[in-house]
Amino acid sequence: MLTSQRKQLILEKLGAEGQVQSKALSVLFDVSEDTIRRDLRELAAEGRLQRVHGGALPSSSATVPFAERKSVKMDAKRKVAQKGAQLISSGQVVIVDGGTTTSELIAFLPHDLRITVVTHSPSIALGLVNHPSIEVILIGGRLYKHSIVAVGAAAIEGIENIHADLFFMGVTGIHPEAGLTTGDFEEACIKRAFSGRAAETVVLASPEKINTASSFVIGDVALANTIVVEGDTDQGWINAVSEKGVSVVLA
């Protein structure tokens, strides 16, 4: 079998099963584990999968630049964002992460909703400028241009002075075993810090993020108290996440 054929079969198996193990692949194709690891390494370099210990998971498409992500699964993002907005009550302090799905979230906030929004995203802050009843606190720091959010020591220091009711966390991958992941180390640190300052963490999960993984771990799936997904999300995935103690809300 040609290497290209084996790689294609690996990707097909990954798509069908949601994960692959190096040892099982070496038996299946009758090649060494070193050969399989090389295949996975090359596929990961092409952005076709995410390597993890012992094998690989599907790679999230949500790691592309912000401008490109704005056109990915927009109908689904609007559905979960609208459902997420219904979780907010008047008088709350709400942390809103940067991202294309959270950008949709703020569009569904009622005009009479009186809350305080804390964000490290200039885009989120600007999106709320004309909202008549929402106070906005913008966390500063070094601008991470890929996601258009503030990161670094100054951002962490600002976050430490907050007690919030809700945190709407943006992620690029959600997997029952690999956890909540994102494509940048500093962003992962910021997200953990925000989650630690909120009574409840909510993840708005559009389809391209489900059962995928990125390079940097934010935390276990159970770091999220609630995950909002589309109504047609795979029931097996929902069950696996629910077993971790996470409430899954269908949009």
Side-chain angles (χ1 to χ4, degrees):
M1 181 182 293
L2 296 174
T3 300
S4 59
Q5 292 174 316
R6 188 174 59 246
K7 286 181 179 178
Q8 183 58 41
L9 290 173
I10 290 172
L11 291 173
E12 290 175 4
K13 188 174 180 63
L14 181 61
E17 300 180 7
Q19 61 181 358
V20 291
Q21 299 292 329
S22 300
K23 186 172 183 179
L25 290 175
S26 70
V27 173
L28 177 64
F29 295 117
D30 193 25
V31 296
S32 69
E33 282 195 61
D34 282 342
T35 297
I36 293 297
R37 282 192 287 268
R38 185 185 66 238
D39 289 344
L40 297 181
R41 186 166 58 247
E42 292 173 356
L43 288 167
E46 297 168 8
R48 309 291 296 278
L49 52 76
Q50 176 64 49
R51 293 181 72 199
V52 295
H53 182 73
L57 298 173
S59 178
S60 174
S61 63
T63 56
V64 298
F66 186 88
E68 295 179 39
R69 297 202 308 272
K70 289 176 71 175
S71 62
V72 176
K73 302 286 185 181
M74 287 312 300
D75 288 344
K77 288 177 180 179
R78 291 188 183 103
K79 284 181 183 178
V80 297
Q82 185 174 21
K83 190 69 175 181
Q86 296 172 11
L87 303 177
I88 301 172
S89 300
S90 186
Q92 289 184 324
V93 175
V94 180
I95 302 170
V96 181
D97 204 348
T100 54
T101 309
T102 50
S103 293
E104 294 298 322
L105 170 75
I106 63 174
F108 289 107
L109 300 180
H111 280 273
D112 61 349
L113 181 65
R114 294 185 176 275
I115 60 173
T116 297
V117 168
V118 179
T119 185
H120 66 322
S121 165
S123 301
I124 295 294
L126 288 172
L128 291 169
V129 163
N130 293 320
H131 195 291
S133 306
I134 294 181
E135 186 77 18
V136 180
I137 297 174
L138 181 60
I139 299 292
R142 181 179 65 81
L143 184 65
Y144 177 48
K145 295 180 180 179
H146 179 277
S147 299
I148 318 180
V149 293
V151 295
I156 293 290
E157 184 177 353
I159 292 166
E160 289 175 349
N161 295 312
I162 299 164
H163 285 295
D165 298 286
L166 295 175
F167 169 39
F168 285 91
M169 177 193 287
V171 303
T172 58
I174 310 174
H175 190 280
E177 301 305 324
L180 308 172
T181 55
T182 191
D184 180 77
F185 176 77
E186 280 197 280
E187 274 200 291
C189 295
I190 293 287
K191 294 173 192 294
R192 279 195 300 275
F194 270 137
S195 185
R197 305 308 297 175
E200 181 178 354
T201 295
V202 180
V203 174
L204 306 177
S206 47
E208 77 279 7
K209 302 171 184 177
I210 292 173
N211 247 1
T212 70
S214 296
S215 299
F216 299 98
V217 177
I218 303 163
D220 188 78
V221 167
L223 186 65
N225 302 95
T226 303
I227 297 177
V228 184
V229 298
E230 276 197 301
D232 60 356
T233 299
D234 177 69
Q235 188 61 48
W237 183 89
I238 292 175
N239 293 342
V241 170
S242 298
E243 288 172 3
K244 299 282 188 177
V246 181
S247 174
V248 179
V249 175
L250 304 182

